[in-house]
Amino acid sequence: MQASGQFDVKLTPQPPAPGIEPTGLGRMTIDKQFDGDLVAHSLGEMLAFRTAVSGSAGYVAMERVEGSLNGHKGSFVLQHSGTMNRGASSLVLTVVPDSGTGELMGITGAMTIEITSGKHYYHFDYSLP
């Protein structure tokens, strides 16, 4: 099954955990509102690092998505792993196994994100039992 639509995201920088400051790791909270086939709200946390080389960075994140996916109500957790290698990006967003609740129990899948003219779009390939 597939779902697609647009989302708005708010990233809020957070102070580093005590003792982590020398690493240069950044931490942010994620607050998203999804529209389209996935009508949902998500909250999460991101850990990121930007190198001294322009266009190179990496991040990992976890976000809990709650709402309705093509009429199925519940929640699930997305795990992010993203890298930028001198401007070339790679991003993997995967549903955490057994994280689905309600009518989304047993959900599996992966999501891609596209940013066009400053707007965020998602494409979600998923399966339900």
Side-chain angles (χ1 to χ4, degrees):
M1 292 183 268
Q2 296 184 328
S4 60
Q6 191 171 339
F7 68 91
D8 293 315
V9 61
K10 180 181 176 186
L11 299 174
T12 305
Q14 300 296 308
I20 296 297
E21 298 89 348
T23 67
L25 297 174
R27 191 167 62 100
M28 293 188 215
T29 56
I30 302 167
D31 188 340
K32 284 184 188 171
Q33 186 64 51
F34 292 90
D35 291 308
D37 296 326
L38 174 61
V39 178
H41 179 243
S42 75
L43 295 173
E45 291 214 22
M46 173 192 298
L47 190 60
F49 182 80
R50 186 179 309 247
T51 73
V53 175
S54 179
S56 291
Y59 89 94
V60 293
M62 301 294 276
E63 73 177 296
R64 183 174 181 272
V65 180
E66 185 171 9
S68 178
L69 175 61
N70 284 323
H72 300 278
K73 294 182 181 179
S75 68
F76 58 91
V77 175
L78 283 173
Q79 179 175 315
H80 301 229
S81 178
T83 56
M84 290 280 295
N85 185 351
R86 299 180 182 204
S89 65
S90 170
L91 177 61
V92 176
L93 284 92
T94 307
V95 174
V96 173
D98 300 314
S99 65
T101 67
E103 296 173 347
L104 298 176
M105 191 169 291
I107 189 170
T108 60
M111 184 180 283
T112 60
I113 293 175
E114 179 183 323
I115 303 171
T116 304
S117 301
K119 294 188 178 195
H120 293 76
Y121 299 90
Y122 67 88
H123 303 282
F124 189 22
D125 291 318
Y126 69 95
S127 294
L128 286 169

